[in-house]
Amino acid sequence: MLLVAVVFLYPLFWMLLGSFKANNEIFNTRVFWPENWSGRYYGILFSGEYFDFGRSLANSIFVSLAQGIGATALAAMAGFVLGVYRFRARMPLLGLGLLVVLIPAQMMALPLFTWVNTLGLFDNPLGVVLPGLVSGLGLLFFTRVFRQIPVELLDAARIEGASEGRIFLTILPLVKPFLIAFGFAHFVLAWHAHVIPLLILHSDGVRTLPLSLAALFGSSLNSPQAVLLAGSAIGMAPLIIVFAFAYPRLKSALQEFVAS
Amino acid sequence: MSLPTARFDIPWGRVFLAAPFFLFLAIFWAVPLGQGVGLSLESDTLWGESHFVGFKHYSNLLQDQRYWKAVLNTSVFTVSTVACVITLALVFAHALRGCWGKLRGPLTFALMVPGLCPPTVLALLFLLVFHGQEGLLNRWLIQPLGFETVNWLADPDFILSGIVIQAVWRWTGFMSFFLLCALNARPRDVLDAAEIDGANAWQRFSKITLPLIAPTLLFCLIYLVVDCFAQFAGSYVLFGGSGGTNDAGLLLVSYAYQRAFVGGGFGSGAAVSLSIVPWLAGMLFLIALSPRYFWKAGQS
């Protein structure tokens, strides 16, 4: 297992080392440790010689965070209703959620692009965020999560005359691990999204990090590739840190979910 | 006091809670889907007037060699990725359960880190792993085993395996994690009882573990298949949106992108995109039907 872990981490470690290397060292795989450690590529990255790194990072954080929080809220609200109550439209609505899973937005990237254009959201972060708030997987997930809530609890709240929204808010702390787990998963997916941001976000000021890095990669091989690797390394750091903190929660939430 | 007639009493509280999700679904999923269908029935004109052509794009696709190539590539890519990832993940999940407690967490974590790596970065890393003669794979695996070096990104016979390796590296950790959680959630007493009754390891796995983790397995399968079909970023960075040598790495989503944005044919591009849906549905249908216990367990 240790060996497997090494194999899995090797390319990433290599990326980190690569961010200190000159071009000829990067493309020569016989060089493992950089000859002379040079931090200047990080300097170039932040100086914005190739693209405005800070701006791209901020864009990425905004777009992904908005999607993670928004999608979790919407899916949890709808999932609460579908999970707790039985009514005639329930199955058709769940079927609709399943359809959304089966036809992901990437596949409709083209019509989505023209539609977002029509709405006047072209080149606007909202054009990426708003479509990203719909998660079929989230609906199915939270429907199942809320089905586990004991009925007595709901009845007690109802007898006290609490409104539907109140009941939902009272129950929310009980499912906190699930909210975190789903929110994190959606955040990661949003962070990685490429096709839809590529089509919708056009000018440099609104581009997300993956787009800027891909553009830098495509531009020319003469630019120091270490800058690209440095950007990638820093771009991954927030995910890994958040993930490290969320990991135990994620694990217990998932185990509970699977067991139910 | 008038008795409310329960049948027509609309529970507004619930409606307000559920409405936002379905509102967004209607605006940002159903409308583009409908427009896509409409677009696929119209002629290839960029912004000017386009006219209705019916199912012409679809019938053209049936005779389009490149389209079938893309279908074949996507299917091969999906099937081999899913097979590798699920097998490896099952093995890893068992191995992780067997390893020393303090090491288990960090090891699982290490396996999952590649899943956090953005596809664009991934493609860049693998450009170096697959790189010509000197790439990591050639140097550490192919040459020591005495094979000729493979030019992974240019040789049409190997391009697809390159993308598969990349996808396997990316997803195996996450799937191992899901399966590990499922394994941990198995009721202890059932397993103990089976062991006392003299069931061997394989019997315990196939008769008890597999049905118990079937729902999780099903989820992993569906997730992987959908992700493989929608795969774009990896091949986009590796081949710049083209299909690589001889279109050997051409996938359906990149073909749709090419038709629409490189070729300027929005109508036929939309037709390619939408034609993915039946393929995907067919694949998922096969998954859901073939092994009977998957289906039964998935129902619960």
Side-chain angles (χ1 to χ4, degrees), chain B residues 38-46 48-54 56-57 264-268:
Chain B
L39 202 60
S40 74
L41 302 178
E42 288 187 1
S43 67
D44 284 344
T45 331
L46 258 184
E49 295 150 49
S50 49
H51 52 275
F52 186 75
V53 294
K56 195 171 128 259
H57 291 310
F266 273 25
S268 51

Side-chain angles (χ1 to χ4, degrees), chain B residues 172-196:
Chain B
T172 303
F174 263 85
M175 296 306 151
S176 309
F177 175 64
F178 289 149
L179 292 175
L180 178 68
C181 288
L183 288 179
N184 284 342
R186 289 174 305 178
R188 206 53 261 169
D189 45 342
V190 179
L191 287 168
D192 289 342
E195 205 167 349
I196 291 165

Side-chain angles (χ1 to χ4, degrees), chain B residues 195-219:
Chain B
E195 205 167 349
I196 291 165
D197 286 345
N200 63 32
W202 170 248
Q203 282 171 329
R204 266 177 286 148
F205 174 74
S206 61
K207 295 265 159 56
I208 296 170
T209 302
L210 214 49
L212 278 175
I213 64 169
T216 314
L217 215 49
L218 188 72
F219 166 80

Side-chain angles (χ1 to χ4, degrees), chain B residues 154-179:
Chain B
D155 190 334
D157 293 339
F158 287 96
I159 285 183
L160 216 50
S161 14
I163 318 179
V164 171
I165 292 176
Q166 180 184 299
V168 169
W169 183 72
R170 176 152 180 238
W171 285 121
T172 303
F174 263 85
M175 296 306 151
S176 309
F177 175 64
F178 289 149
L179 292 175

Side-chain angles (χ1 to χ4, degrees), chain A residues 61-74 129 132-133 179 182-188 190:
Chain A
I61 291 174
F62 168 72
V63 166
S64 317
L65 212 58
Q67 282 184 62
I69 295 172
T72 310
L74 288 184
V129 171
L133 295 184
L179 294 174
F182 178 75
F184 176 73
H186 201 78
F187 174 82
V188 172

Side-chain angles (χ1 to χ4, degrees), chain B residues 53-152:
Chain B
V53 294
F55 290 96
K56 195 171 128 259
H57 291 310
Y58 292 97
S59 56
N60 283 348
L61 279 186
L62 291 179
Q63 278 143 34
D64 184 349
Q65 297 250 322
R66 296 191 69 202
Y67 175 72
W68 287 108
K69 182 107 192 181
V71 170
L72 184 71
N73 283 342
T74 309
S75 312
V76 171
F77 167 66
T78 306
V79 170
S80 26
T81 305
V82 170
C84 292
V85 170
I86 295 289
T87 318
L88 279 177
L90 269 173
V91 173
F92 287 177
H94 273 94
L96 283 171
R97 264 179 68 80
C99 81
W100 181 46
K102 281 219 172 98
L103 216 58
R104 192 184 303 147
L107 274 181
T108 320
F109 188 75
L111 288 185
M112 287 169 78
V113 169
L116 297 178
C117 188
T120 39
V121 176
L122 195 72
L124 165 76
L125 282 180
F126 272 77
L127 195 63
L128 291 145
V129 172
F130 295 133
H131 191 58
Q133 297 250 319
E134 293 277 291
L136 298 172
L137 205 56
N138 275 335
R139 218 152 71 77
W140 293 110
L141 197 67
I142 306 295
Q143 280 175 344
L145 290 178
F147 293 109
E148 273 191 43
T149 53
V150 172
N151 193 348
W152 291 92

